[in-house]
Amino acid sequence: MNSQTNNGGSSSWGAFLKSIASFNGDLSSLTAPPFILSSTSLTEFSSYWCEHPSIFAAPAKESDPAKRALLVLKWFLTTLKQQYASRSEQYGNEKKPLNPFLGELFLGKWEDDAGTTELISEQVSHHPPATAYSITNLPTGVHLEGYNAQKASFSKTINIKQIGHAVLTVPAPSAKEPDTYLITLPSLHIEGLIFGSPFIELEGASYITSSTGYTAKIDYAGKGWLSGKKNSFTASLYPTGKAQDVLFNVSGQWTKTFEIRPGASKGKDNLIETWDPAQVPTTKLTVAPIEQQHPLESRRAWAKVAAAIAKGDLDAVGQEKSKIENAQREMRAKERAEGRMWQRRYFSVRTDAPDHVLTKLGPVVGLADDGDADKTGGLWRFDREKTEKVRNQPPLSEEEARNLARDLLGQ
Ligand code: HC3
């Protein structure tokens, strides 16, 4: 059992395991013992897409469309370690993140050799929970947006199907129009539950398909009974519809190293590149100091809960969480009574027309053109007009900020 269980003791972990066995699929309802509680909200997870901004922006400098598609695949693969293993590497186990409230924001930027890259993450739906994000590298205009929700079930362990998708837009050097890449999200399950040190394993396959006519398929595999290494994958990049004509292969472990090689016709043993995350430092995201943040920004809104988690004071955790949950419930009731809806700050539901990306590229990767809107509260797209308006607004006065925190967070 993990050493961090000292606090909660093995019996509380045992009780947690028992509660998982009767799990109803609502991840937020899991009552986890203190050592497994994280003070990080799921809105922060959007930042995992870009911890290497120069790898994110690199496709914009490549004039060959097949090589651009390979650079996009490489970037996607480099994000997996951050997305799915960084917490268990940092804390020794995968913790239970804070369940974001509607309208919660996480804003930041990366500043490095790739210039400024901006992050906007917003909880756009609470029932069902869905987080939307937009990431833009300003010098190149490379832009990622997407939204995700999770559908969980229990069979031997916690299994999670990710709902939603991401769209990467790459303004390419010699191309008339930017490339569009539609990215699907892998399924995952939790391993190590029984030993009190949960970690994530990815499974099944995910895809990236592009408007330039290339598709990448990534197959995930874990450590089997007899063979295999944990966090393994093999990926191939091919012209869309011609899965046999592999242009590039990538294989390895998404937590460790992986190798990029040409497809069979170009000498599959020729190594093009080895990616070793240990050799490439990540760029730290900068967020505004808490007192300068908007009251709905994650770290400001959850500060008291985070402090209580840090102290291991479960009563205070419960009380502070309840304040937010109750205020949110009251706000929803008020909105219903007044016949209005919570206005999302940076994203809008796409209702006016068919979504061109999903109509064109969705069928290649098995995504419906409604973007699974019924399971994510809508087909969410980044709204540049709204964002412009927000940017032109004066900052909230202290009184406005206090009132917002009182009305929306019970603080
Ligand atoms: C399942 C998960 C919440 C969802 C997390 C997602 C899918 C969110 C979107 C990110 O881009 C990628 C990502 C990574 C990790 C996923 C989390 C792992 C565990 C957490 C459950 C709600 C917690 C389960 C409880 C426990 C104790 C096993 O950690």
Side-chain angles (χ1 to χ4, degrees):
M1 168 115 356
N2 191 291
S3 59
Q4 295 186 55
T5 50
N6 294 346
N7 244 347
S10 58
S11 61
S12 70
W13 187 250
F16 176 57
L17 289 182
K18 268 192 207 148
S19 77
I20 290 180
S22 55
F23 177 52
N24 62 4
D26 176 5
L27 285 168
S28 63
S29 73
L30 286 176
T31 316
F35 79 91
I36 212 84
L37 293 183
S38 162
S39 52
T40 305
S41 151
L42 272 180
T43 53
E44 291 207 23
F45 284 35
S46 306
S47 68
Y48 294 134
W49 284 107
C50 195
E51 296 209 338
H52 295 109
S54 49
I55 312 254
F56 174 71
K61 301 206 168 81
E62 173 57 62
S63 53
D64 177 70
K67 288 189 186 151
R68 267 200 311 274
L70 177 64
L71 286 172
V72 170
L73 171 62
K74 176 185 159 188
W75 154 74
F76 173 81
L77 294 169
T78 64
T79 69
L80 297 176
K81 180 175 154 79
Q82 313 303 327
Q83 298 262 23
Y84 304 107
S86 53
R87 294 151 315 269
S88 43
E89 282 190 359
Q90 193 177 348
Y91 309 114
N93 52 43
E94 183 67 50
K95 298 196 175 218
K96 182 174 184 269
L98 293 170
N99 182 29
F101 55 85
L102 181 61
E104 184 176 325
L105 304 168
F106 185 64
L107 311 173
K109 58 183 174 208
W110 296 270
E111 308 265 14
D112 64 5
D113 293 351
T116 299
T117 309
E118 289 179 344
L119 166 74
I120 295 175
S121 177
E122 178 170 4
Q123 190 68 12
V124 286
S125 174
H126 189 64
H127 287 301
T131 313
Y133 48 87
S134 156
I135 296 177
T136 313
N137 174 253
L138 299 185
T140 59
V142 173
H143 173 75
L144 178 78
E145 64 174 273
Y147 57 95
N148 55 265
Q150 297 86 40
K151 186 173 180 330
S153 60
F154 182 82
S155 157
K156 292 196 186 122
T157 185
I158 301 175
N159 302 291
I160 290 125
K161 184 175 168 344
Q162 294 201 71
I163 305 173
H165 60 270
V167 178
L168 181 77
T169 311
V170 179
S174 51
K176 278 198 212 124
E177 284 186 359
D179 301 353
T180 306
Y181 297 81
L182 176 61
I183 302 170
T184 67
L185 310 167
S187 293
L188 52 114
H189 64 263
I190 308 287
E191 296 212 352
L193 263 183
I194 198 90
F195 303 112
S197 51
F199 68 93
I200 289 178
E201 188 58 275
L202 300 179
E203 61 185 48
S206 74
Y207 294 86
I208 306 174
T209 192
S210 76
S211 56
T212 51
Y214 298 95
T215 298
K217 179 178 188 229
I218 306 119
D219 285 297
Y220 304 92
K223 195 168 156 58
W225 282 105
L226 296 171
S227 63
K229 290 182 180 163
K230 68 189 254 200
N231 315 139
S232 296
F233 73 90
T234 56
S236 55
L237 178 72
Y238 48 85
T240 300
K242 296 183 182 161
Q244 305 311 315
D245 298 349
V246 175
L247 303 170
F248 299 100
N249 281 305
V250 192
S251 62
Q253 284 171 284
W254 48 266
T255 31
K256 295 207 163 95
T257 58
F258 60 75
E259 292 177 345
I260 306 179
R261 294 175 191 276
S265 65
K266 297 230 171 83
K268 63 182 171 46
D269 294 329
N270 296 333
L271 182 63
I272 297 176
E273 189 186 334
T274 301
W275 168 260
D276 180 358
Q279 305 304 320
V280 191
T282 55
T283 300
K284 209 172 165 342
L285 180 83
T286 317
V287 296
I290 292 229
E291 60 290 355
Q292 285 168 28
Q293 290 180 12
H294 186 279
L296 301 186
E297 273 185 75
S298 195
R299 290 187 190 171
R300 177 164 173 172
W302 291 107
K304 290 189 178 141
V305 174
I309 291 176
K311 276 198 268 165
D313 182 347
L314 267 198
D315 289 341
V317 172
Q319 279 160 16
E320 293 301 334
K321 272 191 181 176
S322 297
K323 282 188 196 164
I324 298 181
E325 285 158 6
N326 293 339
Q328 285 284 305
R329 258 193 294 275
E330 277 170 31
M331 182 49 73
R332 298 293 89 80
K334 190 161 184 256
E335 285 164 0
R336 267 195 305 277
E338 292 170 6
R340 59 188 173 88
M341 264 170 52
W342 174 255
Q343 291 305 311
R344 279 70 174 173
R345 211 164 149 84
Y346 298 99
F347 296 85
S348 293
V349 166
R350 179 93 201 224
T351 46
D352 51 336
D355 182 82
H356 298 304
V357 179
L358 286 176
T359 317
K360 197 168 166 233
L361 299 175
V364 181
V365 295
L367 284 185
D369 64 2
D370 69 351
D372 275 325
D374 57 326
K375 300 186 189 86
T376 54
L379 194 174
W380 297 99
R381 290 291 181 239
F382 182 55
D383 191 323
R384 289 190 165 73
E385 253 175 59
K386 277 186 179 175
T387 305
E388 218 28 59
K389 266 195 205 146
V390 169
R391 287 198 170 128
N392 292 329
Q393 273 165 11
L396 293 178
S397 68
E398 268 182 38
E399 193 192 349
E400 285 168 327
R402 257 200 315 275
N403 292 345
L404 265 186
R406 183 198 59 214
D407 296 347
L408 294 164
L409 308 170
Q411 292 172 350

